[in-house]
Amino acid sequence: QVQLVESGGGSVQAGGSLRLSCAVSGYSSSNYCAAWFRQAPGKQREWVSYISRDGYTSHAASVRGRFTTSRDNAKNTLYLQMNSLRPEDSAMYYCAFAYKYRCPRIRDQYNYWGQGTQVTVSS
């Protein structure tokens, strides 16, 4: 059973930075996609980024150039480096996992989820 545990959320002022971590355990194949989603109060959960098995990353237009997704295979950990944060980035951030060859951007195509970590950006 795949387990995901996020950490690193917090409160920062606009323009600041945070790095989220997601420890992944229990997976049985290297053919997987790992992603970040976020959900603000009253809004749907939206895709932020993903990283494929071969390290290819993709980011939503709203965060491109400010957020970076990476992975440390030795530590089985996924990261989301968030720079130049804006108040509209405030949300609960979730990491997600799926055994897929091509990484999706759709929430329902991810089978495993972490519990989330809160990010709050003040103006």
Side-chain angles (χ1 to χ4, degrees):
Q1 179 78 357
V2 177
Q3 293 187 324
L4 307 169
V5 180
E6 300 101 331
S7 61
S11 297
V12 295
Q13 290 191 329
S17 299
L18 282 173
R19 188 177 79 158
L20 306 184
S21 299
C22 175
V24 186
S25 62
Y27 60 95
S28 58
S29 170
S30 61
N31 292 329
Y32 68 85
C33 294
W36 290 97
F37 286 75
R38 66 186 182 185
Q39 187 168 16
K43 295 188 176 181
Q44 294 206 353
R45 192 170 299 187
E46 64 173 356
W47 171 74
V48 174
S49 70
Y50 65 63
I51 184 166
S52 69
R53 64 177 187 141
D54 54 4
Y56 176 80
T57 62
S58 181
H59 295 80
S62 59
V63 306
R64 198 171 299 145
R66 301 186 297 123
F67 290 13
T68 303
T69 300
S70 62
R71 181 179 63 213
D72 185 330
N73 291 329
K75 295 182 178 180
N76 294 325
T77 301
L78 174 72
Y79 300 102
L80 182 67
Q81 177 67 44
M82 305 186 294
N83 299 327
S84 302
L85 282 162
R86 304 167 180 169
E88 54 264 38
D89 294 319
S90 296
M92 185 73 79
Y93 282 71
Y94 299 89
C95 63
F97 182 101
Y99 288 114
K100 290 190 180 292
Y101 183 76
R102 292 185 179 181
C103 294
R105 303 179 181 187
I106 301 173
R107 169 187 179 178
D108 291 347
Q109 295 193 10
Y110 286 87
N111 311 99
Y112 303 97
W113 293 84
Q115 81 288 352
T117 185
Q118 179 68 41
V119 171
T120 303
V121 185
S122 58
S123 57

